[in-house]
Amino acid sequence: MLVKAFADDYDLKFRPHQVEGPASPRDYLDWNARLRKYRLEQKTKKVSHVASAHDVPELQWVQSSYVQPHVMANDLFLFDPETNRYTVDRYVQDVTERYGTIDSIVIWPSFPNLGCDSRNSEDYYRCLPGGTLGIRSLVEEFHARKIKVLFPVIGWDNGTRDPRASWSYILPRLFKEYNIDGMSSEIAYFTQDYWMNSVAIGHPLAFQAQANSENKLGDAPDLDDSLILQWNTMDMAKYDTTTRIPTVALRKFIEPQHMTRSCDKWSRNKTAMIQHSFFNGLGIEMWENIFGTWNQLTPRDAEALRRTTSILRCFGPDFFASAEWEPHCPCVRWETVFSSKFPSRTVEDQIVWTFVNRGPANVTGHQIVVNYHIGIQFYDVWHGVEIQPTDVCDGLATLSFDIEPYGYGCIFATSDVSPLPGNFETLIKTLHHRSRTPLYKIPICSAVLWQELDEIVVTKYTNENICGMVRIEGGAYEFKVKGLSAHPHSKSEYPGVDIKYPWEFQPSRHHATKHMQIKTFYMDAYPVTESQFKKFLDESGYKPADPTNFLKHWCGGCYPASRANKPVTHVSVEDARAYAKWAGKRLPHEWEWQYVAQGGHEYRTYPWGNEWDETKVPEVYSGRERLYPDHPPADVDAFPAGRSCMGVYDLVGNVWQWTDVYRDEHTRAAIIRGGSYYQAKNGQHYFPQAYRNDQHGKYLLMSPSVDRCATIGFRCVKDTEESALSIGNCSFESDECF
């Protein structure tokens, strides 16, 4: 191996939150010396009078939190809508069986529904099933399994209801109330006031920011640039992990106790990400339920994650938070094999090396030359066996073992008289057994979850209860619609986003045109009003199982006097279905709603024509006060010029309207149509409006307490004999869906 003379002016190549490795072993000494000098320069910026969160006893768990999945609060493995209870056992059992132990979890309650009405982030937390006691119980169940819990902070939520105080003041106190362990946010860093508030109230929180090309450490003000790693104890890093030579995680190198986790939520194949994490001694941020879109970890990546993180967890921060970490130790097969050296912080002569093979070929034989003296033992941890050094000479020895294509390796060196790390023998036995199945023999594919309508209702075809309804004559119809979603940001289509119609084979945001035959049916001329819903309650005695937020704007069991003719809101889809059943009707299918809004075969862009006309819809409200009681929707008959040519009113721009509900193994979501009069201020990330007749909104469902919304109402339809024979306009010619 050729090593050139040391040069003090070696030029490091930086990427956002990363530094590129040496091009070859010849550059290693210069590269390593310059990198350590850079770390020393960064550490001198610290101001000593600021307490570091890394030294707080309550936050020591951060350094060993290697696997942290994100989960939606409405995930059907975590919450059962039938019993209205959290199911922590089911969730933990599922992930443990698939990819092993998890150390912490981020639970998302509000996004992507945030902005559909004026509720802000705090309001969504308050709406969760069971209230404060329910959330504390959820957190305690995770804590009983030694899993820490973080809640997200929506950094851009400054356009919904004004909380009247800063989020840095509100959220630490709210999370203390829930006994939450930390915050996670897709921002570059948490400002110091978050940390100081959590310390002041006696509940120090772990703060996790995001490191990517948009969120650069250098974007912080001068003061924060030198301090933020002292209280931002974690970050999820969206690195470019596909380079042949692994990059070095800069935040971890500057502050070894800092927990960085690699994250690549939308990728199908996560091998490069897992390799990058293992090389750097990082954790993994797992996203499978991505705001209602399921992207399951492949079996091969799941097994790789199980093995690599079991190694990280066994050796722990004593090795992987070592200030003596040496990335890119020269390897014999340096073209494709790369290694990092992690000496123990407490035990002399104990070292862990992690290896990754970035190439498509099996690499066998000599791998690395290491320092050696008699009494040192070496273990091939990945294969669970002890190995013997060869070519021992002049205090050096060669270690030989195999690394499969795109595979991993791990060597542990220890003195024969030093105590072994806890659970080391268990780890060796486990990996000896599991490594008998090479990773390349495990499938690396994942399927898109099957979705279906959760309920099909056909009403009795009588002429009763059709007062106030419009007869909609059927006909041939081409149904074409596009789902609106803030994720993913990429312009390319991602399988699994939005919903799957009964005639499709997978969910998609862009739906092909469906040629269908709409059968004649009746539709309410107006959305159901407050007075009509009050009559239903009086005559039926209906009481929801979970009354939280039910008709939240009513007082003393009745709507305000001025709202009799306004569309009823703060009703869940279950409440709406109960009304429809009482009235001998049902909720419309989305294609029925769109057929009416487009004027049948006229295919209008808006109910009144093809050009937007703000005079035909209520005025938009974008203020930061809550919508009730001072900012209600308009009366249902206030804008007659906005009607459809079929004689149906108030379809667009007043309140969203419930239609179909779709369900897969993890998510329930309702399709809502028509948009509303409320638009959150300052927010392109909020729930998007869908005023056009060929657009719809996907509203994630959890529990009626959360689902009830100030801007969602409904209208009903009723079948004729013709549509009833067509299963309520849900029979699609030769494409039988049921």
Side-chain angles (χ1 to χ4, degrees):
M1 182 186 304
L2 297 177
V3 180
K4 64 181 182 180
F6 173 74
D8 188 45
D9 59 348
Y10 188 89
D11 186 20
L12 294 174
K13 296 180 180 179
F14 291 95
R15 299 185 179 201
H17 308 287
Q18 308 166 76
V19 61
E20 295 184 8
S24 74
R26 295 185 61 194
D27 299 322
Y28 172 71
L29 290 178
D30 292 345
W31 177 86
N32 184 54
R34 183 66 187 91
L35 187 61
R36 291 181 176 278
K37 182 179 179 181
Y38 173 80
R39 178 170 65 186
L40 183 62
E41 292 169 352
Q42 298 303 307
K43 281 185 171 291
T44 58
K45 295 182 179 181
K46 284 189 176 182
V47 180
S48 59
H49 67 267
V50 177
S52 173
H54 298 292
D55 301 326
V56 176
E58 295 92 333
L59 299 181
Q60 292 304 299
W61 62 269
V62 168
Q63 298 178 40
S64 56
S65 180
Y66 294 108
V67 179
Q68 179 171 278
H70 289 236
V71 63
M72 302 300 294
N74 64 349
D75 192 299
L76 296 176
F77 274 63
L78 181 61
F79 181 80
D80 183 356
E82 302 299 326
T83 62
N84 212 41
R85 298 179 67 87
Y86 297 104
T87 53
V88 174
D89 276 338
R90 185 186 184 203
Y91 174 80
V92 173
Q93 180 180 352
D94 172 62
V95 297
T96 302
E97 289 177 352
R98 289 191 294 111
Y99 57 80
T101 303
I102 63 174
D103 304 295
S104 53
I105 188 169
V106 182
I107 303 176
W108 289 77
S110 59
F111 191 80
N113 290 353
L114 187 66
C116 190
D117 65 1
S118 61
R119 285 176 292 177
N120 61 29
S121 298
E122 179 188 2
D123 297 329
Y124 266 95
Y125 287 121
R126 300 290 187 188
C127 290
L128 288 174
T132 298
L133 293 179
I135 299 175
R136 285 189 67 93
S137 175
L138 170 68
V139 173
E140 287 169 4
E141 287 193 62
F142 277 111
H143 284 172
R145 293 159 181 80
K146 299 182 180 180
I147 300 170
K148 299 296 184 179
V149 179
L150 291 81
F151 272 4
V153 175
I154 310 297
W156 43 262
D157 183 20
N158 58 0
T160 50
R161 184 184 68 82
D162 187 350
R164 308 298 181 186
S166 68
W167 289 123
S168 63
Y169 179 88
I170 294 171
L171 293 179
R173 288 162 172 81
L174 181 67
F175 291 175
K176 179 182 180 181
E177 183 179 330
Y178 297 152
N179 199 25
I180 298 296
D181 302 291
M183 301 184 188
S184 175
S185 185
E186 295 187 349
I187 56 177
Y189 61 96
F190 281 89
T191 52
Q192 190 175 357
D193 50 347
Y194 278 93
W195 167 243
M196 298 305 291
N197 270 298
S198 73
V199 171
I201 61 176
H203 189 70
L205 292 167
F207 295 100
Q208 172 174 277
Q210 176 175 284
N212 61 17
S213 58
E214 287 79 26
N215 296 335
K216 300 182 180 65
L217 191 66
D219 291 341
D222 291 339
L223 178 64
D224 289 314
D225 188 24
S226 61
L227 296 177
I228 61 174
L229 291 186
Q230 296 190 50
W231 62 83
N232 285 265
T233 52
M234 302 184 289
D235 67 61
M236 48 181 169
K238 296 184 177 181
Y239 296 134
D240 177 8
T241 60
T242 59
T243 57
R244 180 183 65 87
I245 302 175
T247 58
V248 175
L250 207 50
R251 285 187 174 183
K252 176 181 172 64
F253 191 79
I254 294 173
E255 175 51 77
Q257 298 179 86
H258 182 80
M259 172 51 71
T260 294
R261 300 185 194 87
S262 288
C263 174
D264 189 2
K265 67 176 73 166
W266 290 107
S267 68
R268 291 286 186 184
N269 184 337
K270 292 182 167 55
T271 298
M273 181 190 75
I274 298 173
Q275 283 195 331
H276 183 272
S277 296
F278 192 56
F279 171 83
N280 281 276
L282 309 180
I284 292 287
E285 201 85 9
M286 275 304 308
W287 288 80
E288 291 187 300
N289 191 337
I290 312 173
F291 310 125
T293 299
W294 186 250
N295 181 19
Q296 183 166 317
L297 196 63
T298 68
R300 184 186 301 179
D301 286 339
E303 181 60 23
L305 180 62
R306 180 191 298 273
R307 298 183 196 180
T308 56
T309 55
S310 65
I311 292 172
L312 294 174
R313 203 171 284 113
C314 177
F315 293 104
D318 184 43
F319 291 84
F320 293 109
S322 171
E324 300 303 314
W325 168 34
E326 294 183 23
H328 285 290
C329 292
C331 294
V332 175
R333 306 293 292 275
W334 58 270
E335 297 90 346
T336 61
V337 176
F338 303 91
S339 176
S340 276
K341 175 182 176 181
F342 298 92
S344 170
R345 295 192 294 178
T346 59
V347 181
E348 189 177 359
D349 287 337
Q350 285 194 344
I351 301 172
V352 170
W353 287 270
T354 59
F355 296 83
V356 294
N357 178 8
R358 304 290 266 186
N362 193 39
V363 179
T364 62
H366 298 339
Q367 300 290 356
I368 192 169
V369 177
V370 300
N371 292 323
Y372 176 78
H373 62 77
I374 195 165
I376 296 294
Q377 296 174 314
F378 296 95
Y379 293 88
D380 178 352
V381 179
W382 188 262
H383 294 100
V385 295
E386 185 175 356
I387 60 174
Q388 299 300 321
T390 60
D391 301 333
V392 177
C393 182
D394 295 333
L396 299 175
T398 300
L399 302 181
S400 302
F401 51 94
D402 298 342
I403 309 180
E404 64 180 297
Y406 299 110
Y408 309 79
C410 179
I411 296 296
F412 174 53
T414 180
S415 168
D416 54 9
V417 295
S418 297
L420 296 173
N423 299 321
F424 178 75
E425 293 183 358
T426 301
L427 174 69
I428 287 293
K429 291 179 181 178
T430 300
L431 291 182
H432 180 69
H433 170 72
R434 302 195 78 93
S435 63
R436 293 175 182 175
T437 303
L439 293 175
Y440 69 81
K441 290 187 176 181
I442 303 175
I444 193 162
C445 59
S446 62
V448 177
L449 292 184
W450 182 262
Q451 287 184 1
E452 57 186 18
L453 286 166
D454 80 329
E455 179 178 285
I456 299 296
V457 175
V458 179
T459 66
K460 293 182 179 179
Y461 46 93
T462 67
N463 290 326
E464 299 176 359
N465 300 325
I466 61 173
C467 181
M469 304 190 80
V470 177
R471 182 180 173 90
I472 307 298
E473 297 296 335
Y477 180 57
E478 293 185 354
F479 175 63
K480 185 174 184 179
V481 69
K482 176 185 177 182
L484 300 182
S485 173
H487 280 73
H489 297 302
S490 171
K491 294 181 180 179
S492 61
E493 179 55 28
Y494 188 87
V497 177
D498 205 54
I499 54 101
K500 183 194 79 67
Y501 288 113
W503 53 85
E504 295 178 321
F505 69 93
Q506 74 174 25
S508 174
R509 188 161 45 189
H510 300 276
H511 303 275
T513 301
K514 172 62 179 175
H515 304 278
M516 60 175 62
Q517 187 71 30
I518 298 291
K519 306 299 183 182
T520 300
F521 63 98
Y522 290 94
M523 176 177 275
D524 286 342
Y526 300 98
V528 174
T529 64
E530 304 270 18
S531 60
Q532 290 173 321
F533 202 82
K534 179 66 166 65
K535 180 181 179 182
F536 154 63
L537 295 180
D538 293 341
E539 295 185 6
S540 69
Y542 173 76
K543 293 182 179 179
D546 181 359
T548 307
N549 291 330
F550 179 59
L551 301 172
K552 188 175 183 178
H553 57 290
W554 285 24
C555 300
C558 189
Y559 52 86
S562 61
R563 294 193 57 155
N565 203 34
K566 296 185 184 299
V568 66
T569 57
H570 286 123
V571 289
S572 67
V573 69
E574 292 84 2
D575 302 327
R577 285 173 170 176
Y579 173 94
K581 183 178 181 180
W582 167 80
K585 304 175 184 180
R586 60 175 172 84
L587 296 184
H589 292 300
E590 182 188 6
W591 42 92
E592 292 175 319
W593 189 99
Q594 185 167 315
Y595 178 76
V596 173
Q598 288 189 321
H601 57 77
E602 292 190 18
Y603 301 105
R604 294 182 175 185
T605 305
Y606 304 99
W608 54 84
N610 293 322
E611 299 295 331
W612 176 255
D613 187 346
E614 62 183 16
T615 65
K616 292 180 170 60
V617 295
E619 182 180 356
V620 169
Y621 175 72
S622 295
R624 300 204 62 194
E625 296 180 356
R626 68 181 184 186
L627 297 183
Y628 63 93
D630 297 328
H631 306 284
D635 286 359
V636 296
D637 57 0
F639 294 89
R643 68 184 181 278
S644 162
C645 65
M646 291 185 170
V648 177
Y649 296 77
D650 210 30
L651 285 160
V652 168
N654 196 14
V655 294
W656 294 92
Q657 295 163 37
W658 295 114
T659 61
D660 294 307
V661 173
Y662 291 84
R663 179 175 183 147
D664 61 33
E665 192 177 6
H666 285 269
T667 301
R668 292 168 63 239
I671 297 302
I672 53 177
R673 297 302 306 257
S676 78
Y677 71 101
Y678 173 73
Q679 293 181 14
K681 190 176 182 179
N682 306 325
Q684 60 178 349
H685 301 294
Y686 288 114
F687 193 84
Q689 288 291 347
Y691 294 134
R692 289 174 58 103
N693 288 334
D694 56 0
Q695 297 175 339
H696 70 216
K698 178 183 177 182
Y699 187 81
L700 300 187
L701 299 178
M702 180 180 182
S703 167
S705 65
V706 182
D707 303 341
R708 294 180 179 119
C709 179
T711 59
I712 302 180
F714 69 100
R715 66 184 345 120
C716 297
V717 299
K718 186 176 177 65
D719 287 309
T720 63
E721 181 176 1
E722 186 181 4
S723 64
L725 291 174
S726 185
I727 322 178
N729 273 319
C730 200
S731 177
F732 304 104
E733 301 172 0
S734 61
D735 299 323
E736 294 297 330
C737 53
F738 306 103

